[in-house]
Structure formats: C-alpha cells, structure tokens
Amino acid sequence: MKRSLFESDHEDFRASVREFVTRTITPVEEKLVEQRYIDRDIWLEAGRNGFLGLEVPEEYGGSGAEDYRFNAVLAEELARSSAAVASCFGIHVDIVAPYLVKLTTEEQKKRWLPGFCSGEILTAIAMTEPSGGSDLAALKTTAVKDGDDFIINGSKTFITNGNSADLVIVATRTTPEKKAKGITLFAVENGTEGFSRGRKLDKVGQPESDTAELFFENVRVPSSNMIGEFDGGFIHMMQLLPQERISCSVANLGHVRPILEETLQYAKDRKAFGQQIGSLQWNKFLLAELVTKLDVAQAYIDNCIAAHGIGELTAIDAAKAKWWSSQVQNEILDHCVQLHGGYGFMNEYRAARAWKDARVTKIWAGSNEIMKELIGRDLGL
C-alpha cells in the first residue's frame, strides 16, 4: 500500500539522506563497528547537509523545518543502514533538540545551537542510572546549590553518545523531599572538572553506537547551565518523551523493512528439496504474515507521525507505538534469522546483525512493560 504521509519535498530530502548514507556511512561500516563510535567527520558532514538542525530556527544555524516528517525521513533512512547510527543521530536530532530549542534561554540558544547544528557540539541526554532503569522519579544524582552555582554528584549509565558528547543534559535531584517534582536538568559541558566518562559499554548489539557510563564528582556548573525550570525537570521530560518514543518507533520499522525485503529475496533464491524455500507452504504463509504485520504497523506509526506534526500525539499513543513497533520488529527479525538457516547466525549477514541490534528496542525509551503499564492506567486499570 502506498504511504500517503510524505510529499515531494520529503522524498527529495529522502534522496539526499540516502545519498549521504551511501557516500559517507556505508564505506566505513566495518570501521565504525570495530572502533565503537561514529567519527566526528561524519557528524560534520551531516551538519553541512543540514541534517542536524531540522527543529532549530534558522537564526541559530538550523533549517527551521517545523515539520516532523523530515525527522521521520532522516530516521528511516539512517535505520536502513544501521540501527546504531540511527540511534546516535536520533539522540542528537530528535531527543536533545527539543530541550535546547524549547527550554533554553536566548543566551543558551546562541551559545549551543549553532555548534549543535554544525556537528561541532555533539549531545547526549543522561537520565538512566545504575539503580533506576526506567524509574526516572527514583534518580539519585544530586545537584546542590552553592552560591550562583550547583554541585552535581552521581552517575549515569547506558548513555548513547556518552563518550563523544560535548554537551550532556543531566537529570538531577535538586529538592529530594519533593520526589518527582524535585528534579532539575543541567547542561554539563565536556572538560568540566569532576565530569568523567567510564568504559565504552560492551553491548550485545549496536557496536557502532558509543554507549557509556558517566560520573559526576563535585561537578560545579553555573546556574546559567540550567535547562528549563528549577524543579521542573520531570515535567519537562514527560512532555518531551512522546517525541523520543515516536522517533524510536520510526527507526524500528525503518530498520526491519530492508531486512525483511532481503529475506524475501533469499527465500526466492535459496533452493531446498528441489524448490525455492519460499514456496514451501509454511514459509510462504509466514512471509505473508510478516509483510502484512509490518504494513499494518507502518500505517499506525504514520498516523502517529502525522499527529505529532500537528501537536496531537498523546503520551499513550506514543507508548503504543513504541512497544508495538519494537515487538513487531523483533518478531520479524527472529523469523528472518530462522529463514536464513545457519547463515542467519553469521555476522556477515545483515539479518544476524539486525537481530542483535534490535533486541534493545524493547528495553530503551521506557521498557515495553512500562509502556503497557501507562496504557493500562489510561484504561482506568
């Protein structure tokens, strides 16, 4: 079924992103896997192409597109290449950008956004802690006021872009007795005394993604680095999480579609028992189910993208999109591995790498169990 979401401008943009991927990322895929981070040259090239500042007004160096469909195109095309690359770019372009555009002062915008758009300032957001997981209200990292500054102590983990980031938005507890209502966000810049990075985490999948532990030991930041309102951090995060979840959903389907297409071709080419393995009834029926399931999921995600573009995507619909798209992606990829047989377990085949890369999508951005909890509460349960 033809998708009706995008217009000619979006498809022109898609062609530009696809050319960027072919020219800049594809030739160095193995290098990125081995070194476990994306070279700054790639970020700078993305900045020169205008990919990093889609939501940033033109006066600060962005393109001011004000159309989330361009974000969706970027996520889809990057995910076709690599789930990890889509994740790293998504953190910067889709997740951090709204914080820096919507919550910052004029001085902060002028200080950070031009470099954000050019790729000279790479960003990350530090919410998750070793003991907290999806429970953001239970975070233990503290920020204590000291004159005109704040002193931050604590640690974060599973932070995408963690080792490479020049600017990290850190969720801290500023008024402990207020619990969730006592959280404040601060921007911590690279080189700040007491701010250090731990090891690059050795993940099951997505090796290209720079994922790290972050440590804050008496890190002094000025009040001018506060993002948003004092003690308003939890509300800010809840308001902006729907975009993170729809971003993940878009990438989930963008990632799985080419692998399913490749598996379908493999099922036509591979012979067993004197015939194409795809013509065996079990495999034929299975592929029919997988294609249908993906197309139905795509229709829902497209509706969510459209709703988000006009400010009508609810947190509950975003939760549905996040858990369902990650579930569908993982189910399809598991079958793709099985259809490839022994080759499906070989790293040289994209199905194997995609299968490993996708597993975390049922965990991050709020685990699927948390998504169902949110949906269940909305049902009055």
Side-chain angles (χ1 to χ4, degrees):
M1 183 179 292
K2 183 178 179 181
R3 299 169 71 187
S4 59
L5 178 65
F6 301 112
E7 299 171 11
S8 59
D9 285 351
H10 303 105
E11 296 306 335
D12 290 342
F13 181 68
R14 185 185 300 278
S16 177
V17 177
R18 190 166 291 188
E19 192 276 333
F20 163 78
V21 170
T22 301
R23 174 172 46 84
T24 308
I25 297 175
T26 303
V28 296
E29 283 178 342
E30 295 306 318
K31 174 176 177 280
L32 301 185
V33 168
E34 291 174 7
Q35 69 188 23
R36 291 193 287 169
Y37 67 89
I38 299 171
D39 293 295
R40 185 58 63 105
D41 286 349
I42 294 175
W43 287 99
L44 293 172
E45 181 64 18
R48 285 190 286 270
N49 280 273
F51 299 154
L52 303 182
L54 295 175
E55 294 192 21
V56 179
E58 291 181 11
E59 60 263 38
Y60 306 111
S63 56
E66 297 184 351
D67 182 347
Y68 187 75
R69 289 176 292 178
F70 287 104
N71 296 49
V73 168
L74 180 64
E76 286 182 355
E77 291 303 313
L78 292 175
R80 283 185 68 89
S81 168
S82 161
V85 172
S87 170
C88 291
F89 274 80
I91 289 290
H92 187 81
V93 176
D94 264 359
I95 298 173
V96 173
Y99 287 86
L100 297 184
V101 171
K102 297 179 180 180
L103 301 177
T104 50
T105 65
E106 183 64 19
E107 184 276 331
Q108 290 172 330
K109 288 180 171 66
K110 291 179 178 177
R111 184 162 31 129
W112 295 321
L113 286 177
F116 176 95
C117 296
S118 69
E120 294 169 287
I121 296 177
L122 178 59
T123 61
I125 187 163
M127 298 182 188
T128 306
E129 297 186 351
S131 62
S134 296
D135 188 3
L136 295 179
L139 64 85
K140 296 179 180 178
T141 298
T142 60
V144 178
K145 191 163 179 57
D146 182 36
D148 292 332
D149 302 331
F150 284 84
I151 308 298
I152 299 176
N153 281 283
S155 64
K156 303 288 182 177
T157 194
F158 310 139
I159 307 305
T160 303
N161 296 340
N163 264 299
S164 303
D166 305 291
L167 183 77
V168 181
I169 296 178
V170 183
T172 69
R173 184 168 299 285
T174 40
T175 310
E177 63 272 18
K178 293 173 66 174
K179 298 182 179 179
K181 295 181 179 179
I183 294 172
T184 304
L185 306 175
F186 291 93
V188 177
E189 295 168 281
N190 186 31
T192 303
E193 186 176 355
F195 171 41
S196 62
R197 336 285 178 115
R199 61 194 173 95
K200 288 182 185 175
L201 298 175
D202 185 14
K203 307 184 299 296
V204 170
Q206 300 198 21
E208 310 97 305
S209 168
D210 160 20
T211 309
E213 300 168 309
L214 306 181
F215 301 100
F216 307 88
E217 185 175 355
N218 294 323
V219 174
R220 181 178 293 273
V221 295
S223 298
S224 59
N225 277 30
M226 185 188 302
I227 302 291
E229 297 180 5
F230 181 77
D231 280 350
F234 189 78
I235 293 173
H236 295 322
M237 289 188 288
M238 292 303 102
Q239 289 172 336
L240 295 176
L241 273 173
Q243 177 151 315
E244 176 178 356
R245 287 169 181 160
I246 192 60
S247 173
C248 292
S249 303
V250 171
N252 288 342
L253 301 192
H255 180 230
V256 71
R257 185 171 294 280
I259 307 302
L260 180 55
E261 292 168 354
E262 291 170 16
T263 302
L264 178 58
Q265 187 60 50
Y266 182 86
K268 293 176 180 178
D269 296 338
R270 178 75 170 172
K271 300 293 194 300
F273 308 105
Q275 59 184 310
Q276 297 173 330
I277 63 169
S279 66
L280 299 169
Q281 188 182 67
W282 169 263
N283 292 339
K284 183 189 299 182
F285 282 14
L286 174 61
L287 285 162
E289 291 174 10
L290 299 182
V291 168
T292 302
K293 184 171 286 190
L294 179 56
D295 285 348
V296 171
Q298 188 71 70
Y300 181 73
I301 299 305
D302 282 358
N303 274 341
C304 288
I305 294 169
H308 186 54
I310 58 176
E312 294 182 0
L313 179 67
T314 68
I316 301 305
D317 285 339
K320 294 174 183 176
K322 188 273 171 184
W323 94 257
W324 183 248
S325 65
S326 59
Q327 183 69 26
V328 166
Q329 174 190 215
N330 276 272
E331 286 180 7
I332 291 174
L333 288 173
D334 194 66
H335 286 300
C336 287
V337 168
Q338 191 73 16
L339 285 163
H340 275 83
Y343 294 107
F345 207 61
M346 300 296 110
N347 278 323
E348 64 192 88
Y349 277 75
R350 279 182 18 113
R353 297 197 300 270
W355 176 64
K356 292 189 296 181
D357 290 347
R359 183 58 182 83
V360 72
T361 64
K362 297 200 287 185
I363 299 171
W364 68 15
S367 69
N368 282 5
E369 291 75 17
I370 294 294
M371 298 303 97
K372 294 175 187 179
E373 177 69 21
L374 295 174
I375 297 164
R377 289 179 189 175
D378 188 62
L379 296 174
L381 302 173

